[in-house]
Structures are given as structure tokens and as C-alpha cells.
Amino acid sequence: MIQKDLLRKIPKMDEILNDDKLRFLMEEQGRKTVVDAVREVLDEIRSEIFALAPEETEAFQSKLTSAAAAIRAVLKVEEKGKPHLRPVINATGTILHTNLGRAPLARAAAENVARLLPGYSNLEYDVPKGKRGSRHDILQETMMEMTGAEDVMIVNNNASATLLVLSSMAAGKEVIVSRGELVEIGGSFRIPDIMEQGGAKLREVGTTNKTKISDYENAINENTGALMKVHTSNYKVMGFTQEATLEELVELGRKHDLPVIFDMGNGLMVDLSPYGLDEPNVPASLETGIDVILFSGDKLLGGPQAGMIAGKREYIEKMKKHPLARALRVDKMTFAAMEATLMLYRDEVLAKKEIPVLRMITEEKDSLTMRAEALAERIREANPALKVRLIDADDQIGGGSAPMFYLPGKALALSSDEISTAELEKRLRRSEPPVVGRIHEDELLLAIRTIREEEYEDVVRAVGAAKDSE
Ligand SMILES: *Cc1c(COP(=O)(O)O)cnc(C)c1O
């Protein structure tokens, strides 16, 4: 049989579209989607025929049925119907994994988004008064209750918050910052650059390792607009070091009638020092009497991507009216997720249980061990050929927070005599949903801390399917 004969035997479009499976699919997904998929399948079949070796042509005939083409079209429509953004199982042990979307949301936050989004809402409508309201009021009460802040504003992320704060509080003025705190957060977000974007002039004081409160005081002049402290969230200067405390800065600001700004970064809302995590938290920072603090919504706060600005009303009022406010404002999805997350902080025990980031940070060793054993047991059953060990492995906060802080964790260490660890890693990563672990000394580590119990089944299925052949 020659290729020309095969080409003639390719089923026709109409014939394929008559297949029951496709007729059903058309009702679900629309005619165009299905016709396009069939056309792609027909193109593929043609290319396959041209690529055949002479001795393969005979066998290929059996593939040229309209039923076979229809099945291929169904798979194609299914593949194309999958969103590109999809769930991934984080088995890395890094809690705020930037590549994997930073903070997973609390169930209450996800439910609030799902509840609000299909319909309309009072985003900017004052229901009792029957007139226009402000989206800025939505989080006010809850934030005030949680943190004691007079006023609050939410923008797209903490980078936006920094830009807005500097633009509205210090444009054309000098902002005094310690040389030890000229942070690069990542990408092109660097404090000196953002300062320039905000129209403020950076006035560096002190040295990399030591900055005293007197350094700030000596730099104050008639053109000073604000004093600013930046939390060095992603690095630590160790050894012979000194920095001015928030309390000292607040006192100095009062003395010279200058506002004090704190870019806190991580957004921690509770004290986690009993867990060894020595990071500033929002309520304690505000208690110093600081004028404005800003922080991320999706780092240690555990909410959606956002930048939170909290503090004195006189400054935040101005930010709300600034032209940038409109450019940086967030959608109702963010409000819905943030409000529900903040509400969980009314009770610290509840927050640690319900907010995934806090739950993961505070999970006890015993619980990790128990969960790791349970998952290992199921994995051994699903794939008896695999070697599964339980090991101690350090987990991390991630997301550029607390770089020197390690959480003693538990991991499943997998290896196989049949396939390489690299191949095992690849197969798990390419399963649906992808399971992302890390290779350490020729074993694939799955850290239990970042795997939810609801995900065990998917992990077990992925590992079960990662057997020798293929
Ligand atoms: C993370 C961080 C930022 C940037 O926050 P995003 O929400 O990622 O934009 C700014 N400042 C500090 C100190 C940070 O830690």
C-alpha cells in the first residue's frame, strides 16, 4: 500500500462529526471547538502518513476509522479545556513557595470568593443609605479590631504599597533609610529604585552593619519628608551589628514632627516567637505608635496577593485620594479573600488551625511523623517496588521570609532500583496534578509539612503510576 492510498482512506470530517461522542461533546463545548479539534486531528493524521516507512503503511490502515479519529478529537478538546493555571502539590517543604503561588488560602477565604464572585456585591455601594460607598471601608473595622490601626488600605502587593506610601508621603522630599536596609526583594524591586519611582530622595545613613538612631537624627534637615525602616526579610547581617529600633525611630519622628514608615514585608499577624520564629508582627509594630506600616497579604499573613497599608488616618486618607490609588487598587476577589482571612485572626487558635501558612509553620513534630507514616504506608501499598524511608529534613518558610530559619520536618525519601531518581522526579512532576518534590543525594524527598491530607490520594496515585516501564 502506498501513501496516496492511505490519504484517500482518511475519514471525512462529516463522518467523524457524526460520532455519538462528538455530538455529545458539541452540545457541551460548542460546535466550533469540536470542529477545530477534528481538523487538527486530520492534519496530524496526514503528517503521520507522510512520515511512515513503507513497511508501516499496511498496519496504519486500521487507525483510519472515524471512531479512532473521534476519540483523538475528544482527548484534544479535553486537553484544551484545561486551564493553564492549575493545582500543584507542593512536596518541597517550602511553605511560601514563590513559584507555586506563595500562600495557599484558608478554606473560609476560598469559600467567600466562590460565594461572592458569580453575582453582584456591595463593593462600592452603601446598602443602608442606598448610595455610592467606598471599597476602602470594607476592611477597616476588621483591621482596626485585629491590629489597632486607625485606618487601612489595600493595594495590589507590597511593592505597590511602597510606591504609594512614598509617592503620597514624601514626593520631592528626602526619606532617611539605613544603609543596612537597602533591600532588593527580587526582580527589579529595590528600595533605592522604588524611592526614585515614588519621587522621593533616598538619604542613606549609617553603614551596612551599624546604624544608630543618632545617624538618623544627624541627617534630618528642612527637606526631610520621612524616616523609613525596611525589614531585611530576605537576608541577615550578623556579627558586629546595630540598628535603630522602631521605638527609637517613633520617638525621633515625634521630636522632629516627621512621619515614620515601616516596610515590614511579611505581614505576620501573631507572635510566633514561641515557635522560634523571631520576626516582627503587625500588631506589635503598630503598638510602637508608628505612623504607617506596609506588608504583603500573601506572605506570613497567609492571605491573597495584596499590599496592606495600616496606620494613622491622616496619611492613609491622603493615599486613598492619590492618583496612584486607582492604578493600584484591587478587585473584589482580593477583598473577599482578605476579609475572610482577617476574620480568622479574631481567635489565634482558630487562625493557627485554619490559615494554612500558620498551620504549616506551627505543626508539631509528632503530627508530622504520624502523617508521614500514614502516607508512606499507602505509597508502599501502591508501589511495592519503591524504596520508602522516613527521614528528618528541614523545611523552610520561603518567599524571601526568614532566610535563616529552618523548621525540623519529616520527609518521605523515595528511590527505585528500576528507574533513576531523576526519572522518578520527572514522572511525579508530570502527573496530574503535578507532585513537586526535591532530589537530595539520589533520593526523591517529599516533605510532609506542605502536603495536605486531601492530597494524599493524588500523591499515592502519582507514585503508583511511576513504575518501571513506559
Ligand atoms: C516581600 C517584600 C516586599 C514586596 O512585597 P510583594 O507583596 O511581593 O510585592 C517589599 N518589602 C519587603 C520588606 C518584603 O519583604
Side-chain angles (χ1 to χ4, degrees):
M1 171 138 329
I2 52 171
Q3 283 161 338
K4 213 168 68 195
D5 297 323
L6 278 181
L7 287 171
R8 226 179 285 126
K9 292 197 169 169
I10 295 177
K12 299 283 168 289
M13 171 71 86
D14 288 345
E15 207 182 310
I16 303 170
L17 289 177
N18 242 335
D19 187 283
D20 279 347
K21 287 185 287 300
L22 290 189
R23 281 214 305 254
F24 178 70
L25 201 59
M26 253 186 256
E27 269 171 41
E28 246 185 10
Q29 308 265 345
R31 183 178 166 83
K32 183 173 183 307
T33 305
V34 176
V35 171
D36 287 350
V38 173
R39 193 168 291 130
E40 274 180 49
V41 168
L42 291 175
D43 284 345
E44 281 172 17
I45 293 175
R46 255 174 240 120
S47 315
E48 283 161 15
I49 291 175
F50 286 122
L52 287 177
E55 68 274 14
E56 291 170 331
T57 50
E58 197 66 42
F60 198 79
Q61 269 192 91
S62 63
K63 293 190 180 167
L64 293 175
T65 64
S66 59
I71 289 173
R72 283 176 69 162
V74 169
L75 293 176
K76 207 168 264 298
V77 170
E78 272 174 10
E79 190 55 40
K80 286 195 174 177
K82 276 191 205 151
H84 286 96
L85 185 60
R86 54 206 165 107
V88 167
I89 295 176
N90 176 8
T92 66
T94 297
I95 295 171
L96 296 169
H97 200 300
T98 305
N99 298 158
L100 304 182
R102 278 199 186 166
L105 291 188
R107 193 184 310 270
E111 281 170 4
N112 204 31
V113 172
R115 181 177 71 91
L116 273 163
L117 269 283
Y120 297 100
S121 61
N122 61 341
L123 182 66
E124 290 193 350
Y125 185 64
D126 186 329
V127 174
K129 292 191 182 137
K131 56 176 200 178
R132 193 191 164 138
S134 166
R135 67 177 72 204
H136 294 309
D137 296 341
I138 296 171
L139 299 176
Q140 198 130 334
E141 241 180 73
T142 317
M143 267 303 272
M144 211 184 294
E145 192 185 322
M146 293 320 129
T147 69
E150 275 179 20
D151 205 351
V152 59
M153 184 174 172
I154 181 169
V155 289
N156 188 50
N157 53 18
N158 197 26
S160 312
T162 316
L163 184 63
L164 179 59
V165 165
L166 290 170
S167 304
S168 72
M169 292 177 72
K173 297 259 183 76
E174 284 180 10
V175 176
I176 305 177
V177 186
S178 158
R179 288 199 171 88
E181 300 175 359
L182 298 175
V183 182
E184 170 176 320
I185 296 302
S188 49
F189 185 81
R190 292 171 156 184
I191 291 296
D193 298 338
I194 208 92
M195 200 68 82
E196 201 179 308
Q197 286 292 324
K201 241 181 96 188
L202 173 64
R203 178 70 191 265
E204 303 173 22
V205 295
T207 61
T208 306
N209 57 324
K210 279 205 170 211
T211 305
K212 307 183 180 94
I213 190 69
S214 56
D215 294 322
Y216 291 85
E217 180 148 37
N218 292 337
I220 292 175
N221 62 63
E222 69 285 352
N223 203 27
T224 304
L227 312 175
M228 183 169 181
K229 188 168 179 60
V230 184
H231 178 47
T232 58
S233 6
N234 53 10
Y235 68 95
K236 277 251 180 309
V237 182
M238 314 247 279
F240 188 54
T241 62
Q242 187 177 351
E243 60 180 298
T245 63
L246 275 188
E247 286 83 355
E248 288 173 322
L249 284 166
V250 168
E251 198 188 317
L252 184 64
R254 292 244 168 87
K255 186 170 151 197
H256 293 270
D257 200 20
L258 287 169
V260 183
I261 302 163
F262 182 32
D263 177 3
M264 207 187 97
N266 69 44
L268 184 60
M269 296 282 281
V270 294
D271 180 9
L272 287 187
S273 60
Y275 298 87
L277 184 66
D278 194 18
E279 285 283 311
N281 68 68
V282 177
S285 300
L286 280 164
E287 209 161 289
T288 63
I290 188 131
D291 297 281
V292 169
I293 75 169
L294 39 145
F295 49 93
S296 258
D298 58 347
K299 287 192 191 168
L300 293 176
L301 191 153
Q305 180 192 301
M308 302 294 287
I309 308 171
K312 301 268 161 71
R313 176 155 301 135
E314 61 171 305
Y315 300 109
I316 293 180
E317 277 298 327
K318 263 170 62 186
M319 293 175 207
K320 290 177 183 170
K321 297 192 182 111
H322 193 280
L324 271 177
R326 175 65 185 246
L328 305 177
R329 79 179 185 185
V330 299
D331 182 49
K332 53 190 174 295
M333 280 193 268
T334 308
F335 276 102
M338 185 57 87
E339 187 174 21
T341 306
L342 289 175
M343 281 175 160
L344 293 170
Y345 280 103
R346 286 200 174 127
D347 184 289
E348 206 173 302
V349 177
L350 190 70
K352 285 180 191 152
K353 193 166 130 248
E354 292 294 322
I355 297 174
V357 170
L358 295 189
R359 183 176 62 228
M360 287 188 260
I361 294 175
T362 59
E363 184 169 0
E364 304 281 349
K365 192 78 189 246
D366 285 352
S367 159
L368 290 169
T369 306
M370 251 167 50
R371 292 208 295 123
E373 276 167 1
L375 181 59
E377 190 63 40
R378 290 179 58 179
I379 283 179
R380 287 190 191 104
E381 255 168 50
N383 190 342
L386 215 57
K387 283 183 274 186
V388 185
R389 302 193 302 136
L390 282 197
I391 62 163
D392 292 325
D394 283 340
D395 300 321
Q396 284 185 62
I397 304 269
S401 302
M404 307 297 288
F405 181 67
Y406 293 95
L407 294 153
K410 278 275 169 201
L412 283 69
L414 312 182
S415 59
S416 159
D417 289 332
E418 276 137 12
I419 57 174
S420 69
T421 302
E423 178 63 24
L424 183 61
E425 186 276 336
K426 190 173 100 186
R427 288 188 192 175
L428 292 201
R429 175 162 42 83
R430 293 196 179 171
S431 60
E432 190 61 52
V435 178
V436 180
R438 66 182 199 274
I439 292 179
H440 178 70
E441 290 175 359
D442 214 34
E443 283 176 309
L444 177 63
L445 303 193
L446 304 182
I448 198 72
R449 188 185 301 273
T450 48
I451 307 177
R452 291 178 292 147
E453 276 171 47
E454 302 93 290
E455 293 169 333
Y456 288 2
E457 200 173 318
D458 286 327
V459 175
V460 169
R461 192 160 32 76
V463 178
K467 294 205 172 120
D468 50 350
S469 58
E470 276 175 75

